[in-house]
Amino acid sequence: MLTLGIETSCDDTAAAVLKDNDILLSSVLSSQDQIHTRFGGVVPELASRRHLEAIVPIVQEALDRACVTLKEIDLIAVTQGPGLIGSLLVGFCYAKAISYVTSIPYIGIDHMAGHLLAAFLEEDKPEFPYIALIVSGGTSSIYLAQSHTSFSLLGRTRDDAAGEAFDKVAKLLGLPYPGGPRVSAEAMTGNSAAIKFPRAWLGRSLSCHGGHTSAGTSPVASDTLPSPTMEDESLDFSFSGLKTAVLNHCNQSRQKDLPLHIPDICASFQEAIVDVLVEKTLHAARQHTVQTIVLGGGVSANPRLRQSMLDRCRQENKALFAPRPSFCTDNGAMIALAGFYYSRQSAPGSYDQDVYSRSQI
Ligand code: KG4
């Protein structure tokens, strides 16, 4: 079975051809980073216009590289949501149009399902059940995955997504968009202990090192790791306070005429995000007695997150599956793979279906 995957949820136009569920014949992507970098973030109107220009050549290139023609494709899988509506509409309407004229069935895929399954694009595949940490520019969520199409949301961000926090901090430090890779590159030469930025554990009965004990449901910020015996810790995230702490640090340094040490700020900020992502993911695995952890989403390309998660998984005897960075960021291959599995349990898409902006998983 040949599946053509199409992804246009944000600012990358991507397409891929997948044979069955494991032989990736092609995966191509047109990045819009150059267009958005001077605005410090994705401009939705510009993104959808660029998708319009790129969609036809990118899909053709995916077919050419796979050495197949459209007629040989058995299924078209396309991202239906969540994402920027204008961007989603380009890929979704294009997929429906080629489905209509060729009679190849199409299926709308939730972008999160793509990220949740991306680890299966690698040779070494995870086993169910697993806990998935999906962290990107639009989401930071923890899921329990029980099959290729069965996912339960355990926690999610209450404000900024992790990638959004990386991008916003990069912008306030004068680093170009997309900020995540730039912050992580600067962090390589910085000292992660230089500045004590807060970690929002959002715990209900969370006791922390340094004498802080908190009860109640209000967010708890700490600049240290939580005690390993935390019981009722929420699996939700909050990163907006951390972003404000970085802004305050920069303002205070400027007021005192102190130079900003960008690598130290980046390393300390990154460590604060990574600590929370790693500890909450492991906490979810303990809560659900799950031995396998899977990463997905653009932020999971971050080397410090991958290393820290690996170290903690080794300590707790868990298996970690982290797809290569090009499968962590948006791509057509993960949408094709999700299409393969969802098409086995759902009817093909109808032509009156529309895109949506919030994940349905
Ligand atoms: O999954 P993705 O390609 O697109 C969606 O948001 O759906 O993720 C993009 C996000 C951006 O916020 C980008 O800054 C972040 O992932 N990112 C990173 C790294 N590479 C990409 N964040 C931290 N470290 C990285 N190495």
Side-chain angles (χ1 to χ4, degrees):
M1 172 170 163
L2 286 181
T3 305
L4 169 66
I6 298 176
E7 152 64 34
T8 63
S9 65
C10 189
D11 60 338
D12 291 318
T13 319
V17 177
L18 182 72
K19 186 174 179 204
D20 300 328
N21 60 347
D22 61 350
I23 305 172
L24 186 60
L25 300 180
S26 68
S27 183
V28 296
L29 182 140
S30 166
S31 165
Q32 299 184 5
D33 287 354
Q34 293 267 353
I35 295 171
H36 302 290
T37 192
R38 68 196 160 109
F39 302 104
V42 177
V43 182
E45 176 67 20
L46 296 181
S48 45
R49 285 186 196 193
R50 180 60 196 138
H51 282 307
L52 271 178
E53 292 165 351
I55 187 81
V56 175
I58 284 296
V59 168
Q60 191 55 53
E61 193 179 333
L63 294 170
D64 291 346
R65 286 203 196 178
C67 299
V68 299
T69 63
L70 191 53
K71 280 187 193 154
E72 293 170 80
I73 295 292
D74 300 295
L75 174 73
I76 301 163
V78 60
T79 306
Q80 188 168 1
L84 300 173
I85 291 297
S87 293
L88 288 163
L89 277 171
V90 176
F92 196 63
C93 291
Y94 179 72
K96 283 199 293 186
I98 52 175
S99 163
Y100 185 74
V101 296
T102 58
S103 299
I104 300 168
Y106 94 92
I107 188 160
I109 293 296
D110 194 291
H111 184 77
M112 301 310 294
H115 282 311
L116 280 157
L117 294 174
F120 290 93
L121 292 165
E122 301 290 2
E123 212 162 293
D124 191 15
K125 300 183 196 312
E127 282 181 10
F128 295 103
Y130 59 77
I131 292 291
L133 172 70
I134 307 298
V135 269
S136 70
T139 191
S140 298
S141 305
I142 297 178
Y143 293 88
L144 172 65
Q146 271 157 328
S147 79
H148 291 102
T149 54
S150 168
F151 310 106
S152 312
L153 180 64
L154 304 179
R156 64 178 175 186
T157 184
R158 295 183 187 176
D159 41 55
D160 290 350
E164 195 178 353
F166 268 99
D167 294 339
K168 286 177 176 170
V169 162
K171 192 173 179 182
L172 71 89
L173 294 176
L175 301 172
Y177 176 85
R182 293 304 296 256
V183 169
S184 94
E186 291 285 344
M188 297 269 182
T189 57
N191 172 8
S192 62
I195 308 152
K196 283 193 178 342
F197 286 130
R199 278 89 166 136
W201 297 109
L202 308 176
R204 282 189 291 156
S205 59
L206 172 61
S207 68
C208 298
H209 299 286
H212 307 293
T213 305
S214 171
T217 51
S218 56
V220 178
S222 158
D223 56 14
T224 53
L225 281 171
S227 129
T229 55
M230 57 194 177
E231 273 174 17
D232 295 330
E233 190 195 348
S234 164
L235 296 176
D236 282 352
F237 298 107
S238 168
F239 294 117
S240 63
L242 172 59
K243 179 193 65 193
T244 307
V246 177
L247 180 64
N248 288 343
H249 171 84
C250 295
N251 287 341
Q252 282 160 11
S253 301
R254 285 190 191 107
Q255 277 164 6
K256 292 178 194 159
D257 263 343
L258 295 172
L260 288 182
H261 195 267
I262 303 288
D264 281 358
I265 297 173
C266 289
S268 303
F269 160 78
Q270 177 177 268
E271 202 65 12
I273 287 211
V274 166
D275 277 353
V276 176
L277 293 176
V278 169
E279 291 309 320
K280 284 189 182 259
T281 306
L282 283 158
H283 190 56
R286 283 193 298 269
Q287 264 182 359
H288 292 267
T289 331
V290 167
Q291 299 309 320
T292 303
I293 289 178
V294 164
L295 296 182
V299 179
S300 61
N302 181 280
R304 178 67 194 135
L305 172 60
R306 295 166 82 93
Q307 188 57 51
S308 177
M309 190 70 87
L310 186 62
D311 293 345
R312 292 289 286 111
C313 282
R314 280 187 182 140
Q315 281 170 8
E316 298 210 10
N317 269 329
K318 310 265 185 237
L320 176 65
F321 293 81
R324 74 191 73 171
S326 60
F327 291 155
C328 291
T329 47
D330 291 349
N331 65 86
M334 67 181 193
I335 302 301
L337 184 64
F340 174 89
Y341 286 111
Y342 276 85
S343 67
R344 301 174 136 213
Q345 62 160 53
S346 318
S350 58
Y351 297 118
D352 59 352
Q353 284 185 7
D354 205 350
V355 298
Y356 51 81
S357 58
R358 297 186 132 232
S359 176
Q360 302 190 342
I361 293 181

